[in-house]
Amino acid sequence: MNISLENPDQPDVIALIGELDDYLYSLYPADSVYALDISSLARPEVLFAVARDADGAAIGCCAMLVTPEYGEVKRMYVRPAGRGKGVAHKLLDLLEAEAGTRGCARFMLETGPSNPEALGLYKRRGYTERGPYGDYPDDPYSVFMEKAA
């Protein structure tokens, strides 16, 4: 498996994000999905990591929006065939380390209560629940989490 920072505007990565969107919209109302689109993911303040299998196929992705106050985890997804192999941990390892070199001392995220796998992953990574941050509303379909770098 290879994990590296890449441009999100690639056909196989766009397909991966499409799968993530389908999954999110199956769980939550559209106005409760706070996702960045491809053009937003390509902005300079966004780190975008892709996990590829031995054949070079994209099997997972995750982004980190780096702000002066914190790094925000966005767009975490691993295809079902890639789950249980540490892909999500390796994606977060890369992004948290890179954001740390850019001065991030705190990481934040928003996920949903209907996604126990994500909640479990983030808790195992040391994230704890908190209230809304930034421009997020207090949404019953949101769970907000943070951890120190």
Side-chain angles (χ1 to χ4, degrees), residues 8-24:
D9 193 9
Q10 303 175 68
D12 59 345
V13 176
I14 292 169
L16 194 66
I17 291 171
E19 291 175 27
L20 170 57
D21 286 343
D22 290 346
Y23 178 66
L24 293 174

Side-chain angles (χ1 to χ4, degrees), residues 2 8 19 51 55 78 86 97 103-104 128:
N2 179 47
E19 291 175 27
D55 296 323
V78 176
C104 284
T128 57

Side-chain angles (χ1 to χ4, degrees), residues 1-4 6-8 10-19 48-62 77-83 87 91:
M1 173 184 5
N2 179 47
I3 298 179
S4 61
E6 296 187 21
N7 182 334
Q10 303 175 68
D12 59 345
V13 176
I14 292 169
L16 194 66
I17 291 171
E19 291 175 27
F48 190 82
V50 178
R52 295 186 178 276
D53 66 15
D55 296 323
I59 60 168
C61 65
C62 188
Y77 182 69
V78 176
R79 284 194 165 126
R83 294 180 188 161
V87 175
L91 286 163

Side-chain angles (χ1 to χ4, degrees), residues 39-106:
S39 63
S40 297
L41 291 170
R43 294 188 330 228
E45 65 272 18
V46 177
L47 304 169
F48 190 82
V50 178
R52 295 186 178 276
D53 66 15
D55 296 323
I59 60 168
C61 65
C62 188
M64 175 95 50
L65 172 62
V66 178
T67 75
E69 296 84 31
Y70 51 81
E72 181 179 8
V73 178
K74 302 290 288 181
R75 303 306 250 158
M76 168 65 82
Y77 182 69
V78 176
R79 284 194 165 126
R83 294 180 188 161
K85 299 175 183 174
V87 175
H89 287 284
K90 291 176 182 174
L91 286 163
L92 285 170
D93 286 344
L94 174 65
L95 291 171
E96 289 175 353
E98 183 63 30
T101 68
R102 296 180 185 204
C104 284
R106 186 168 54 139

